[in-house]
mmCIF file of all heavy atoms in Angstrom:
data_model
loop_
_atom_site.group_PDB
_atom_site.id
_atom_site.type_symbol
_atom_site.label_atom_id
_atom_site.label_comp_id
_atom_site.label_asym_id
_atom_site.label_seq_id
_atom_site.Cartn_x
_atom_site.Cartn_y
_atom_site.Cartn_z
ATOM 1 N N GLY A 20 -24.387 -254.814 248.536
ATOM 2 C CA GLY A 20 -25.613 -254.767 247.711
ATOM 3 C C GLY A 20 -25.377 -254.416 246.271
ATOM 4 O O GLY A 20 -26.419 -254.152 245.532
ATOM 5 N N MET A 21 -24.134 -254.445 245.800
ATOM 6 C CA MET A 21 -23.864 -253.995 244.500
ATOM 7 C C MET A 21 -23.780 -254.926 243.456
ATOM 8 O O MET A 21 -23.952 -254.810 242.242
ATOM 9 C CB MET A 21 -22.557 -253.083 244.416
ATOM 10 C CG MET A 21 -22.648 -251.787 245.130
ATOM 11 S SD MET A 21 -21.114 -250.763 245.301
ATOM 12 C CE MET A 21 -20.348 -251.004 243.712
ATOM 13 N N SER A 22 -23.409 -256.131 243.795
ATOM 14 C CA SER A 22 -23.085 -257.240 242.798
ATOM 15 C C SER A 22 -24.245 -257.505 241.904
ATOM 16 O O SER A 22 -24.145 -257.519 240.695
ATOM 17 C CB SER A 22 -22.653 -258.488 243.513
ATOM 18 O OG SER A 22 -21.485 -258.281 244.275
ATOM 19 N N LEU A 23 -25.319 -257.821 242.529
ATOM 20 C CA LEU A 23 -26.551 -258.230 241.715
ATOM 21 C C LEU A 23 -27.004 -257.138 240.777
ATOM 22 O O LEU A 23 -27.336 -257.297 239.594
ATOM 23 C CB LEU A 23 -27.646 -258.755 242.597
ATOM 24 C CG LEU A 23 -28.752 -259.462 241.925
ATOM 25 C CD1 LEU A 23 -28.352 -260.805 241.337
ATOM 26 C CD2 LEU A 23 -29.916 -259.653 242.865
ATOM 27 N N VAL A 24 -27.142 -255.905 241.334
ATOM 28 C CA VAL A 24 -27.715 -254.868 240.447
ATOM 29 C C VAL A 24 -26.716 -254.441 239.399
ATOM 30 O O VAL A 24 -27.089 -254.176 238.365
ATOM 31 C CB VAL A 24 -28.094 -253.699 241.346
ATOM 32 C CG1 VAL A 24 -29.313 -253.939 242.219
ATOM 33 C CG2 VAL A 24 -26.980 -253.015 242.119
ATOM 34 N N SER A 25 -25.392 -254.458 239.769
ATOM 35 C CA SER A 25 -24.391 -254.168 238.783
ATOM 36 C C SER A 25 -24.223 -255.146 237.625
ATOM 37 O O SER A 25 -24.170 -254.882 236.492
ATOM 38 C CB SER A 25 -23.053 -253.974 239.399
ATOM 39 O OG SER A 25 -23.082 -252.968 240.368
ATOM 40 N N GLU A 26 -24.377 -256.400 238.057
ATOM 41 C CA GLU A 26 -24.276 -257.507 237.018
ATOM 42 C C GLU A 26 -25.515 -257.376 236.171
ATOM 43 O O GLU A 26 -25.361 -257.654 234.859
ATOM 44 C CB GLU A 26 -24.144 -258.970 237.739
ATOM 45 C CG GLU A 26 -23.819 -259.975 236.740
ATOM 46 C CD GLU A 26 -24.997 -260.534 236.022
ATOM 47 O OE1 GLU A 26 -26.053 -260.567 236.396
ATOM 48 O OE2 GLU A 26 -24.699 -261.035 234.924
ATOM 49 N N THR A 27 -26.654 -257.224 236.737
ATOM 50 C CA THR A 27 -27.918 -257.126 235.831
ATOM 51 C C THR A 27 -27.882 -256.013 234.907
ATOM 52 O O THR A 27 -28.124 -256.261 233.732
ATOM 53 C CB THR A 27 -29.100 -256.919 236.800
ATOM 54 O OG1 THR A 27 -29.243 -258.062 237.669
ATOM 55 C CG2 THR A 27 -30.443 -256.836 236.068
ATOM 56 N N ALA A 28 -27.421 -254.823 235.346
ATOM 57 C CA ALA A 28 -27.305 -253.578 234.409
ATOM 58 C C ALA A 28 -26.290 -253.903 233.366
ATOM 59 O O ALA A 28 -26.454 -253.632 232.190
ATOM 60 C CB ALA A 28 -26.925 -252.355 235.225
ATOM 61 N N ALA A 29 -25.098 -254.493 233.756
ATOM 62 C CA ALA A 29 -23.942 -254.740 232.783
ATOM 63 C C ALA A 29 -24.402 -255.794 231.698
ATOM 64 O O ALA A 29 -24.130 -255.559 230.535
ATOM 65 C CB ALA A 29 -22.801 -255.280 233.443
ATOM 66 N N ARG A 30 -25.184 -256.835 232.204
ATOM 67 C CA ARG A 30 -25.653 -257.829 231.164
ATOM 68 C C ARG A 30 -26.598 -257.250 230.194
ATOM 69 O O ARG A 30 -26.483 -257.502 229.000
ATOM 70 C CB ARG A 30 -26.378 -258.956 231.992
ATOM 71 C CG ARG A 30 -26.799 -260.112 231.083
ATOM 72 C CD ARG A 30 -27.355 -261.241 231.839
ATOM 73 N NE ARG A 30 -27.341 -261.225 233.258
ATOM 74 C CZ ARG A 30 -28.429 -261.184 233.994
ATOM 75 N NH1 ARG A 30 -29.617 -261.201 233.416
ATOM 76 N NH2 ARG A 30 -28.322 -261.117 235.345
ATOM 77 N N VAL A 31 -27.522 -256.295 230.623
ATOM 78 C CA VAL A 31 -28.499 -255.760 229.697
ATOM 79 C C VAL A 31 -27.745 -254.841 228.713
ATOM 80 O O VAL A 31 -28.001 -254.848 227.529
ATOM 81 C CB VAL A 31 -29.610 -254.956 230.460
ATOM 82 C CG1 VAL A 31 -30.460 -254.113 229.456
ATOM 83 C CG2 VAL A 31 -30.423 -255.882 231.247
ATOM 84 N N LEU A 32 -26.842 -254.025 229.253
ATOM 85 C CA LEU A 32 -26.086 -253.147 228.327
ATOM 86 C C LEU A 32 -25.221 -253.860 227.315
ATOM 87 O O LEU A 32 -25.146 -253.524 226.160
ATOM 88 C CB LEU A 32 -25.258 -252.165 229.189
ATOM 89 C CG LEU A 32 -26.045 -251.205 230.035
ATOM 90 C CD1 LEU A 32 -25.068 -250.360 230.904
ATOM 91 C CD2 LEU A 32 -26.912 -250.301 229.181
ATOM 92 N N ARG A 33 -24.698 -255.067 227.770
ATOM 93 C CA ARG A 33 -23.940 -255.987 226.869
ATOM 94 C C ARG A 33 -24.830 -256.468 225.779
ATOM 95 O O ARG A 33 -24.500 -256.472 224.633
ATOM 96 C CB ARG A 33 -23.270 -257.063 227.680
ATOM 97 C CG ARG A 33 -21.896 -257.410 227.262
ATOM 98 C CD ARG A 33 -21.220 -258.377 228.206
ATOM 99 N NE ARG A 33 -22.027 -259.194 229.063
ATOM 100 C CZ ARG A 33 -22.092 -259.105 230.368
ATOM 101 N NH1 ARG A 33 -21.453 -257.958 231.036
ATOM 102 N NH2 ARG A 33 -22.850 -259.874 231.106
ATOM 103 N N GLU A 34 -26.027 -257.058 226.244
ATOM 104 C CA GLU A 34 -26.965 -257.616 225.263
ATOM 105 C C GLU A 34 -27.475 -256.593 224.255
ATOM 106 O O GLU A 34 -27.625 -256.873 223.131
ATOM 107 C CB GLU A 34 -28.173 -258.077 225.926
ATOM 108 C CG GLU A 34 -27.913 -259.398 226.751
ATOM 109 C CD GLU A 34 -27.527 -260.585 225.841
ATOM 110 O OE1 GLU A 34 -28.236 -260.818 224.772
ATOM 111 O OE2 GLU A 34 -26.640 -261.335 226.250
ATOM 112 N N LEU A 35 -27.593 -255.327 224.632
ATOM 113 C CA LEU A 35 -27.989 -254.174 223.765
ATOM 114 C C LEU A 35 -26.704 -253.682 222.944
ATOM 115 O O LEU A 35 -26.956 -252.811 222.142
ATOM 116 C CB LEU A 35 -28.630 -253.083 224.451
ATOM 117 C CG LEU A 35 -29.896 -253.384 225.294
ATOM 118 C CD1 LEU A 35 -30.385 -252.319 226.057
ATOM 119 C CD2 LEU A 35 -31.033 -253.778 224.130
ATOM 120 N N ASP A 36 -25.567 -254.098 223.277
ATOM 121 C CA ASP A 36 -24.324 -253.577 222.607
ATOM 122 C C ASP A 36 -24.246 -252.188 222.677
ATOM 123 O O ASP A 36 -24.003 -251.505 221.655
ATOM 124 C CB ASP A 36 -24.281 -254.131 221.141
ATOM 125 C CG ASP A 36 -22.970 -253.903 220.458
ATOM 126 O OD1 ASP A 36 -21.900 -253.977 221.259
ATOM 127 O OD2 ASP A 36 -22.943 -253.725 219.238
ATOM 128 N N VAL A 37 -24.478 -251.573 223.880
ATOM 129 C CA VAL A 37 -24.485 -250.168 224.054
ATOM 130 C C VAL A 37 -22.918 -249.703 223.938
ATOM 131 O O VAL A 37 -22.034 -250.346 224.480
ATOM 132 C CB VAL A 37 -24.894 -249.771 225.410
ATOM 133 C CG1 VAL A 37 -24.740 -248.157 225.718
ATOM 134 C CG2 VAL A 37 -26.395 -250.019 225.500
ATOM 135 N N LYS A 38 -22.755 -248.660 223.162
ATOM 136 C CA LYS A 38 -21.455 -248.075 222.918
ATOM 137 C C LYS A 38 -21.438 -246.655 222.871
ATOM 138 O O LYS A 38 -22.550 -245.918 222.843
ATOM 139 C CB LYS A 38 -20.866 -248.749 221.544
ATOM 140 C CG LYS A 38 -21.732 -248.532 220.353
ATOM 141 C CD LYS A 38 -21.257 -249.503 219.192
ATOM 142 C CE LYS A 38 -22.124 -249.545 218.101
ATOM 143 N NZ LYS A 38 -23.493 -249.780 218.341
ATOM 144 N N ALA A 39 -20.322 -245.978 222.607
ATOM 145 C CA ALA A 39 -20.136 -244.584 222.531
ATOM 146 C C ALA A 39 -21.118 -244.038 221.475
ATOM 147 O O ALA A 39 -21.162 -244.583 220.402
ATOM 148 C CB ALA A 39 -18.732 -244.097 222.257
ATOM 149 N N GLY A 40 -21.821 -242.931 221.758
ATOM 150 C CA GLY A 40 -22.726 -242.272 220.872
ATOM 151 C C GLY A 40 -24.131 -242.775 220.933
ATOM 152 O O GLY A 40 -25.044 -242.104 220.329
ATOM 153 N N ASP A 41 -24.363 -243.890 221.557
ATOM 154 C CA ASP A 41 -25.780 -244.406 221.684
ATOM 155 C C ASP A 41 -26.503 -243.581 222.677
ATOM 156 O O ASP A 41 -25.889 -242.930 223.579
ATOM 157 C CB ASP A 41 -25.797 -245.894 222.140
ATOM 158 C CG ASP A 41 -25.308 -246.858 221.060
ATOM 159 O OD1 ASP A 41 -25.124 -246.480 219.831
ATOM 160 O OD2 ASP A 41 -24.983 -247.990 221.454
ATOM 161 N N THR A 42 -27.755 -243.694 222.652
ATOM 162 C CA THR A 42 -28.720 -242.927 223.592
ATOM 163 C C THR A 42 -29.402 -244.132 224.177
ATOM 164 O O THR A 42 -30.044 -244.985 223.531
ATOM 165 C CB THR A 42 -29.582 -241.960 222.971
ATOM 166 O OG1 THR A 42 -28.876 -240.870 222.444
ATOM 167 C CG2 THR A 42 -30.540 -241.388 224.064
ATOM 168 N N VAL A 43 -29.384 -244.233 225.581
ATOM 169 C CA VAL A 43 -30.014 -245.266 226.256
ATOM 170 C C VAL A 43 -31.225 -244.655 227.205
ATOM 171 O O VAL A 43 -30.900 -243.617 227.910
ATOM 172 C CB VAL A 43 -29.070 -246.006 227.269
ATOM 173 C CG1 VAL A 43 -29.835 -247.040 228.120
ATOM 174 C CG2 VAL A 43 -27.935 -246.568 226.438
ATOM 175 N N LEU A 44 -32.356 -245.319 227.179
ATOM 176 C CA LEU A 44 -33.498 -244.962 228.062
ATOM 177 C C LEU A 44 -33.574 -245.846 229.212
ATOM 178 O O LEU A 44 -33.761 -247.182 228.881
ATOM 179 C CB LEU A 44 -34.768 -244.975 227.212
ATOM 180 C CG LEU A 44 -36.117 -244.696 228.126
ATOM 181 C CD1 LEU A 44 -36.085 -243.332 228.695
ATOM 182 C CD2 LEU A 44 -37.265 -244.916 227.187
ATOM 183 N N VAL A 45 -33.403 -245.417 230.394
ATOM 184 C CA VAL A 45 -33.541 -246.363 231.502
ATOM 185 C C VAL A 45 -34.825 -245.993 232.365
ATOM 186 O O VAL A 45 -34.852 -244.853 232.941
ATOM 187 C CB VAL A 45 -32.318 -246.154 232.467
ATOM 188 C CG1 VAL A 45 -32.432 -246.999 233.700
ATOM 189 C CG2 VAL A 45 -31.055 -246.423 231.618
ATOM 190 N N HIS A 46 -35.869 -246.862 232.304
ATOM 191 C CA HIS A 46 -37.024 -246.625 233.195
ATOM 192 C C HIS A 46 -36.706 -247.083 234.529
ATOM 193 O O HIS A 46 -35.868 -248.074 234.740
ATOM 194 C CB HIS A 46 -38.171 -247.422 232.596
ATOM 195 C CG HIS A 46 -38.784 -246.862 231.370
ATOM 196 N ND1 HIS A 46 -39.302 -245.674 231.384
ATOM 197 C CD2 HIS A 46 -38.788 -247.363 230.090
ATOM 198 C CE1 HIS A 46 -39.762 -245.385 230.115
ATOM 199 N NE2 HIS A 46 -39.482 -246.404 229.362
ATOM 200 N N GLY A 47 -37.329 -246.487 235.574
ATOM 201 C CA GLY A 47 -36.999 -246.821 236.993
ATOM 202 C C GLY A 47 -35.546 -246.509 237.249
ATOM 203 O O GLY A 47 -34.934 -247.184 238.021
ATOM 204 N N ALA A 48 -35.063 -245.421 236.796
ATOM 205 C CA ALA A 48 -33.548 -245.218 236.889
ATOM 206 C C ALA A 48 -33.040 -244.914 238.297
ATOM 207 O O ALA A 48 -31.918 -244.945 238.512
ATOM 208 C CB ALA A 48 -33.200 -244.103 235.872
ATOM 209 N N SER A 49 -33.956 -244.648 239.209
ATOM 210 C CA SER A 49 -33.547 -244.270 240.547
ATOM 211 C C SER A 49 -33.374 -245.588 241.384
ATOM 212 O O SER A 49 -32.839 -245.516 242.499
ATOM 213 C CB SER A 49 -34.405 -243.342 241.235
ATOM 214 O OG SER A 49 -35.668 -243.941 241.404
#
């Protein structure tokens, strides 16, 4: 069950260009 959720999260973080020092807000984080 990890592929779809991991790819979705990775794609969003890539699109946002998240890097060291950034602060990310994740709604529905559980």
Side-chain angles (χ1 to χ4, degrees):
M21 287 174 46
S22 299
L23 192 66
V24 296
S25 299
E26 193 279 331
T27 301
R30 184 174 357 114
V31 169
L32 295 172
R33 219 175 18 255
E34 288 293 319
L35 294 173
D36 192 29
V37 172
K38 55 193 171 305
D41 289 347
T42 299
V43 177
L44 172 62
V45 179
H46 287 295
S49 63

